Amino acid sequence: MKLTPTARDRISAFWMLLPTFLILIGFYLYPTLYNLELSFTDITLLRLRQGGDFVGLENYSEFLTSSSFLDIAINTIFWLTVVSVVLRLALGLVVALLLNSKFLQDIRMTTVARLIILVPWATPPVVAVIAWRWLFDPTHGAINSLLLSTGLISDPVAFLATLTTVWPAIITIIVWNTTPLVAVSLLAALQTIPEELNEAAAIDGATRWQQFRFVTLPYLMPTISVLGLMSVIWTFNNFVYVWLATGAGPGTFTNVLATEVYLKAFVDLRIGYSSAIGVVMAVVMAAFGALYFRFFGLSEMQDKVG
Amino acid sequence: MSISAQKTGLSGLIERGGMLALFLVLMTFLLAPAVFVFKGSVENISISLVANEGGLTLKNYGKILSDGYFVYVFNSLYICILATVLSCTISLFAAYGLSRFRFPGRGFVFGAIMGGQFFPWIILVNPIFIFFARAGLINSHLGLILCYTAFITPFTVYLLVGYLTTIPKSLDEAAIVDGANRLQVIWMVILPIMWPGLVAAATFGFLQSWSEYLLALALITEDGLKTIPLGLYQYFGDVQVDWGAVMAGSVVATVPTLLLFLPLQKKLVAGLTQGATK
């Protein structure tokens, strides 16, 4: 049998895409659906073989009406996501503007700065948390010895175990680890701004602030939005920073959705209940994912595959 | 913001001084933690509350060597390398198929791959743990390799599609007219051109799996099977922390990522925000 070239191409495409397709189904789609099924049962880690009984929406109503729900939601949305994403965008923008300034280029600091920025970026999150736990340590930590020697505090502060400092401390770790990506991306965007735009604005009598506000910022806005949305998606689900910095403590003070999923499944052994929290997270993420596709995904896909 | 340097006089001086101060503060913030980790790794740090003994030493590195930390390093290395090779192989074919052929559902497949990059793995931990428990893949490196392959494949495909679209299709067609089949085209025409892209994708995949913590935590409990991220946290006891060993272990965990990052950074930025600026 002789195949037409189109048919032959389609068969080739099928075989070439099959392994990736199997991965997407086996490790993404099917587990997601199975997670949904688990969320309607009371399955526990001790009764994995027998499975659980169907309990309807009980897990969901228990979680959404539990006393800790509001705290977890505020921790996840406000502290973990909003504060850390806003700070990393702001700080990244400042670093990018500094690196793009003529002054720093004149004193030949940009190459050094680029190398310095690489360090926190290349540091794995697990190590980033360790580094800051070391700096924050009440007995050996550099931050405490600095504050003690300048007389700003009279007793060492356990930053990651004190209610007033624990969130700012966690945010510091996240911002340190994630700002470089933002800074380098914004710097790349800054360097594409045509010089004439700023010159024209200057000739028209625009102040430097006006140039930034009406020329630079609008030009950067698409990059800032894409970075912001990606950061939100990455951070909202993040487990390692909170878990390794505080273990959701002191007590459950810094508990977020991701650590709650883990705690409920692997400490309380309630897989069904934990899966229901996972579904709640997935729904929120799907909304952000839809936003991403709406604004950036489709145009990018057209660029890539036509 | 190039006007700044043209300002002269006192206001210009103050402005430059302010910029320099801000620059130094930010750079200190970014670099200091790494410096302190390195410093801690070559210092005598007492575990008890007694003051530091001081002086430079390599005993922390000696300690992690005798502790068997190298087992974690070895586990991480071979798990991540195998997952990367596996993922790059299947991604190369997928990317080729996506960029060269038109077929029904192509947009959907590409969309699914894009979505996979942002997928929250915390949601998959429960179902995958149950599948693996039933299949006997808990405390198994095979299970972890499969997970990491799945974990890094979406971004690898995405990066490779980006590279492949820059290679003209006429090259493929010329080779096919000369009698090559598609596999020969990939092997003899595409690979020699796109190996820098493949290296970049592989580096990224390796880095991703190198620092993965959550799945390893859920799936590996046996000490001898643990990877570096889990191994590092072995040193955090209930009461005290062996800071010297932790710092030495952290340096060992970070040096490879730093070396791999140096050539990769620009490609990563281009890959991530490309779509936004067009």
Side-chain angles (χ1 to χ4, degrees), chain B residues 180-200:
Chain B
N181 64 35
R182 287 286 174 182
L183 286 181
Q184 288 168 324
V185 169
I186 293 179
W187 184 249
M188 294 190 299
V189 179
I190 299 295
L191 265 184
I193 303 175
M194 75 167 302
W195 70 264
L198 200 61
V199 168

Side-chain angles (χ1 to χ4, degrees), chain B:
Chain B
M1 313 230 48
S2 58
I3 316 296
S4 62
Q6 288 152 21
K7 275 200 184 176
T8 47
L10 192 61
S11 69
L13 212 61
I14 292 172
E15 189 184 305
R16 285 182 212 177
M19 279 171 79
L20 190 62
L22 185 61
F23 175 73
L24 291 176
V25 168
L26 285 172
M27 288 303 127
T28 310
F29 170 67
L30 292 175
L31 190 61
V35 171
F36 277 99
V37 169
F38 182 73
K39 191 164 153 275
S41 79
V42 293
E43 268 178 348
N44 275 309
I45 306 160
S46 56
I47 295 178
S48 63
L49 298 183
V50 190
N52 292 354
E53 294 150 47
L56 294 183
T57 175
L58 282 176
K59 78 164 193 204
N60 296 323
Y61 289 93
K63 179 156 193 315
I64 61 168
L65 205 62
S66 62
D67 272 355
Y69 186 76
F70 64 89
V71 175
Y72 308 135
V73 177
F74 174 76
N75 288 343
S76 271
L77 271 177
Y78 102 85
I79 289 174
C80 298
I81 288 174
L82 280 180
T84 304
V85 170
L86 203 58
S87 170
C88 281
T89 311
I90 61 178
S91 300
L92 178 63
F93 286 110
Y96 187 86
L98 275 171
S99 71
R100 291 300 191 262
F101 302 120
R102 310 202 149 262
F103 51 89
R106 179 159 154 275
F108 174 78
V109 173
F110 195 71
I113 287 164
M114 294 276 294
Q117 289 176 55
F118 298 111
F119 206 89
W121 274 73
I122 181 82
I123 295 166
L124 302 178
V125 170
N126 291 343
I128 286 178
F129 182 86
I130 295 179
F131 295 152
F132 279 19
R134 288 183 180 149
L137 286 173
I138 303 288
N139 278 321
S140 140
H141 282 168
L142 176 65
L144 212 53
I145 290 168
L146 288 176
C147 280
Y148 288 178
T149 306
F151 175 50
I152 60 186
T153 293
F155 194 71
T156 318
V157 175
Y158 170 76
L159 278 182
L160 293 182
V161 169
Y163 276 100
L164 273 165
T165 43
T166 64
I167 301 175
K169 283 184 190 175
S170 51
L171 287 179
D172 302 36
E173 281 148 17
I176 285 171
V177 169
D178 287 346
N181 64 35
R182 287 286 174 182
L183 286 181
Q184 288 168 324
V185 169
I186 293 179
W187 184 249
M188 294 190 299
V189 179
I190 299 295
L191 265 184
I193 303 175
M194 75 167 302
W195 70 264
L198 200 61
V199 168
T203 313
F204 183 80
F206 179 82
L207 289 174
Q208 281 288 92
S209 38
W210 183 258
S211 52
E212 203 286 330
Y213 178 79
L214 174 61
L215 287 163
L217 177 69
L219 299 176
I220 306 287
T221 52
E222 232 174 271
D223 190 45
L225 297 176
K226 286 181 175 172
T227 53
I228 288 180
L230 291 180
L232 271 177
Y233 281 85
Q234 300 274 90
Y235 291 107
F236 287 84
D238 288 333
V239 190
Q240 56 195 19
V241 183
D242 187 347
W243 282 114
V246 174
M247 293 302 126
S250 298
V251 171
V252 171
T254 312
V255 166
T257 67
L258 261 176
L259 294 179
L260 288 175
F261 234 81
L262 214 52
L264 184 71
Q265 46 155 344
K266 280 194 178 156
K267 286 187 178 110
L268 262 183
V269 170
L272 283 173
T273 52
Q274 218 166 33
T277 47
K278 276 179 190 161

Side-chain angles (χ1 to χ4, degrees), chain A residues 247-290:
Chain A
T252 55
F253 187 76
T254 56
N255 206 4
V256 291
L257 283 168
T259 49
E260 179 74 351
V261 168
Y262 182 82
L263 282 168
K264 283 293 174 274
F266 292 95
V267 177
D268 293 354
L269 311 183
R270 298 179 63 194
I271 296 259
Y273 183 76
S274 160
S275 297
I277 305 170
V279 173
V280 173
M281 288 179 78
V283 170
V284 178
M285 275 303 91
F288 279 110

Side-chain angles (χ1 to χ4, degrees), chain A residues 165-303:
Chain A
T165 56
V166 62
W167 268 120
I170 296 175
I171 302 289
T172 307
I173 305 176
I174 303 177
V175 168
W176 181 76
N177 207 195
T178 53
T179 296
L181 169 70
V182 176
V184 176
S185 305
L186 288 178
L187 180 61
L190 271 174
Q191 285 165 345
T192 64
I193 300 182
E195 194 60 36
E196 304 87 64
L197 275 183
N198 275 316
E199 281 165 11
I203 289 165
D204 287 347
T207 63
R208 300 243 320 281
W209 166 251
Q210 284 171 330
Q211 281 181 43
F212 172 73
R213 174 70 188 75
F214 297 108
V215 179
T216 311
L217 206 55
Y219 208 91
L220 292 181
M221 225 39 217
T223 312
I224 294 179
S225 325
V226 105
L227 286 168
L229 206 46
M230 278 190 327
S231 302
V232 165
I233 295 173
W234 281 329
T235 315
F236 181 85
N237 304 304
N238 189 281
F239 170 78
V240 280
Y241 290 119
V242 170
W243 182 253
L244 294 178
T246 65
T252 55
F253 187 76
T254 56
N255 206 4
V256 291
L257 283 168
T259 49
E260 179 74 351
V261 168
Y262 182 82
L263 282 168
K264 283 293 174 274
F266 292 95
V267 177
D268 293 354
L269 311 183
R270 298 179 63 194
I271 296 259
Y273 183 76
S274 160
S275 297
I277 305 170
V279 173
V280 173
M281 288 179 78
V283 170
V284 178
M285 275 303 91
F288 279 110
L291 261 182
Y292 181 87
F293 273 101
R294 174 80 184 74
F295 288 127
F296 315 108
L298 291 176
S299 65
E300 194 167 0
M301 271 165 69
Q302 271 148 17
D303 284 347

